[in-house]
Amino acid sequence: MVKKKVAIIGGGQIAENVHAAYYKTREEVEIVAVVSRHADSARNFAERNGIPRYYTDAAEMYARENPDIVSICSPNRFHFEHVMQALEAGCDVMCEKPPAIKSEEARMMMETAEKNNRVLAYNFHHRFSDDATLLREKVNEGVFGDIYVVKAQALRRSGVPGWGSFTNKEAQGGGPLIDIGVHMLDAALYVLGYPEVEKVTAKMFQKIGNKKSKGTFGEWDPSKYEVEDSFFGFIEFKDGGLLQIETSFALNIKESSIMNVEFCGERAGASLFPAQIYTDHEGELVLLENRPEADPSSNRHQKSMAAFVDKCLGKNVMVADGKQGYIIQQLVEALYLSAEKGVSISL
Ligand SMILES: NC(=O)c1ccc[n+]([C@@H]2O[C@H](COP(=O)([O-])OP(=O)(O)OC[C@H]3O[C@@H](n4cnc5c(N)ncnc54)[C@H](O)[C@@H]3O)[C@@H](O)[C@H]2O)c1
């Protein structure tokens, strides 16, 4: 069997813990190279993960290695450039979330993948949980009737990341909305079947991140805190439904972290993590489905990567594709615009 050649761009923590870790479990593929910004860290990454060659220049890597599959694990602001380069080199691509910084970039990424007939997938891994799979099945079976109110939460009480460039607006494109809010947005939209959006209205705050300097995710410099620390938005769908998104790096809430989605339908409601489906009978709560524990995050990542590799091998499986990545990026852009301008934005 000729193995598909894999290259990884951006040798950081997600590349190592998720992408390299998964590719090593598949006999149909082999990682041939890693590209990272600094030679030392690229070499160390290659050594730790048994990867034969490392580069600091992606163009040189494409010319020498001719990979079939590429994982883009660089910081957000490089996703567009790196995905386009990989697609133009004829590769199938798995890109970390968020797809890009601007919706125009995500649109070009989607169109280039379509034009070149390549797989483009984004690592929105939460939708691959057994929990999301169960709820999607039940939506398709009509268990809920019309789902008309949804609440997606990606909240941290004091979780400003103390590493990388998460507080730098230019590098990241924003704060919690583009970093963690996108995860619960994708999970919610996936369960709903990606309904069309009519308009969005939002408000954001910067109240804590620019004053405090230490939290559960390490220390940061408040004088360099440039992004929102909490974000609240309403997304109205063309079918009349409403999705509320709440997301924060820092917000005075009771829990240290909440990553969940609640769905309210005519006949039943559900929460995503763990998947529970419930209804009411004469004032009493009736549990229709009750997963005692949510699928662990590592399983979700594994299934997301597995779907991508299977798709590259020609199987007809679901991935978080270029079109859905474009929709998420349009939503993020419209939500930020609404919050900046103080008006609703129609899509
Ligand atoms: N799916 C998830 O749950 C999840 C979790 C964490 C991170 N991510 C995403 O993964 C991406 C990377 O995050 P991370 O936490 O691994 O960050 P990281 O800082 O650990 O790794 C980024 C790596 O990219 C390298 N790099 C920087 N500029 C580069 C360039 N121009 N060319 C090549 N390499 C470059 C850096 O040297 C570093 O090794 C981000 O987009 C982030 O949003 C996704």
Side-chain angles (χ1 to χ4, degrees):
M1 178 183 53
V2 180
K3 294 186 182 213
K4 292 232 184 214
K5 291 187 281 180
V6 177
I8 294 176
I9 314 283
Q13 63 90 16
I14 199 80
E16 182 149 16
N17 298 330
V18 172
H19 295 247
Y22 181 76
Y23 290 128
K24 284 192 252 176
T25 69
R26 292 290 297 251
E27 59 178 15
E28 306 97 319
V29 305
E30 61 177 332
I31 313 176
V32 295
V34 60
V35 181
S36 212
R37 170 160 267 190
H38 303 292
D40 278 357
S41 67
R43 185 179 56 243
N44 289 338
F45 187 100
E47 277 173 14
R48 281 197 307 276
N49 292 285
I51 300 170
R53 287 168 296 281
Y54 67 90
Y55 297 82
T56 51
D57 178 358
E60 187 189 346
M61 183 281 290
Y62 285 109
R64 291 192 182 200
E65 305 289 345
N66 197 18
D68 305 291
I69 293 176
V70 176
S71 268
I72 306 299
C73 304
S74 48
N76 298 358
R77 71 176 178 283
F78 300 115
H79 288 184
F80 172 65
E81 172 192 334
H82 290 160
V83 166
M84 294 297 278
Q85 193 176 22
L87 290 172
E88 294 297 7
C91 304
D92 293 322
V93 181
M94 165 61 100
C95 177
E96 266 306 331
K97 49 56 58 175
I101 302 281
K102 295 183 190 144
S103 71
E104 180 60 13
E105 295 171 337
R107 186 181 63 73
M108 285 169 72
M109 290 148 84
M110 169 189 76
E111 287 177 358
T112 305
E114 282 167 6
K115 185 183 80 188
N116 294 358
N117 199 20
R118 292 292 101 203
V119 177
L120 170 59
Y122 295 109
N123 189 24
F124 285 122
H125 61 292
H126 297 286
R127 68 154 74 180
F128 291 89
S129 60
D130 290 344
D131 308 85
T133 305
L134 176 69
L135 294 196
R136 180 79 196 118
E137 276 170 18
K138 297 297 170 184
V139 167
N140 283 333
E141 287 168 19
V143 166
F144 300 95
D146 182 28
I147 298 178
Y148 54 96
V149 172
V150 178
K151 182 157 83 171
Q153 294 181 304
L155 294 167
R156 293 179 191 156
R157 186 176 63 227
S158 186
V160 177
W163 67 92
S165 49
F166 291 88
T167 60
N168 178 316
K169 189 155 185 201
E170 198 200 332
Q172 284 291 116
L177 175 66
I178 200 166
D179 187 46
I180 52 177
V182 288
H183 271 313
M184 290 303 105
L185 269 183
D186 174 73
L189 292 177
Y190 169 71
V191 169
L192 295 172
Y194 263 77
E196 276 192 81
V197 174
E198 174 86 39
K199 66 174 177 180
V200 307
T201 313
K203 194 155 175 78
M204 61 183 170
F205 300 91
Q206 192 195 70
K207 296 276 189 186
I208 299 174
N210 57 349
K211 297 187 186 83
K212 289 169 92 168
S213 60
K214 195 172 176 186
T216 43
F217 284 44
E219 293 186 36
W220 68 96
D221 180 352
S223 70
K224 294 194 177 136
Y225 192 93
E226 298 171 1
V227 296
E228 84 278 7
D229 52 27
S230 62
F231 191 103
F232 305 85
F234 284 105
I235 297 169
E236 292 178 53
F237 297 111
K238 289 193 173 148
D239 66 10
L242 179 69
L243 187 156
Q244 183 185 348
I245 171 87
E246 299 179 349
T247 180
S248 66
F249 280 163
L251 185 67
N252 280 315
I253 52 172
K254 199 164 102 192
E255 294 84 353
S256 136
S257 162
I258 305 174
M259 289 286 269
N260 215 337
V261 186
E262 279 173 35
F263 300 88
C264 304
E266 293 165 308
R267 288 198 278 278
S271 47
L272 180 55
F273 295 128
Q276 294 180 316
I277 303 180
Y278 32 79
T279 191
D280 178 83
H281 180 69
E282 297 176 351
E284 296 293 326
L285 183 74
V286 180
L287 273 176
L288 304 174
E289 296 282 345
N290 186 15
R291 279 177 54 83
E293 276 179 39
D295 206 8
S297 193
S298 53
N299 288 359
R300 305 175 200 174
H301 273 302
Q302 221 173 50
K303 282 181 256 189
S304 170
M305 292 297 299
F308 168 65
V309 170
D310 287 347
K311 185 104 181 158
C312 296
L313 296 171
K315 294 197 186 137
N316 184 18
V317 292
M318 180 276 288
V319 293
D321 63 19
K323 184 167 181 209
Q324 291 168 336
Y326 173 45
I327 292 170
I328 290 280
Q329 202 75 48
Q330 276 183 306
L331 267 177
V332 166
E333 194 167 279
L335 284 162
Y336 275 131
L337 192 63
S338 172
E340 276 163 23
K341 304 247 181 229
V343 294
S344 297
I345 304 289
S346 297
L347 267 85

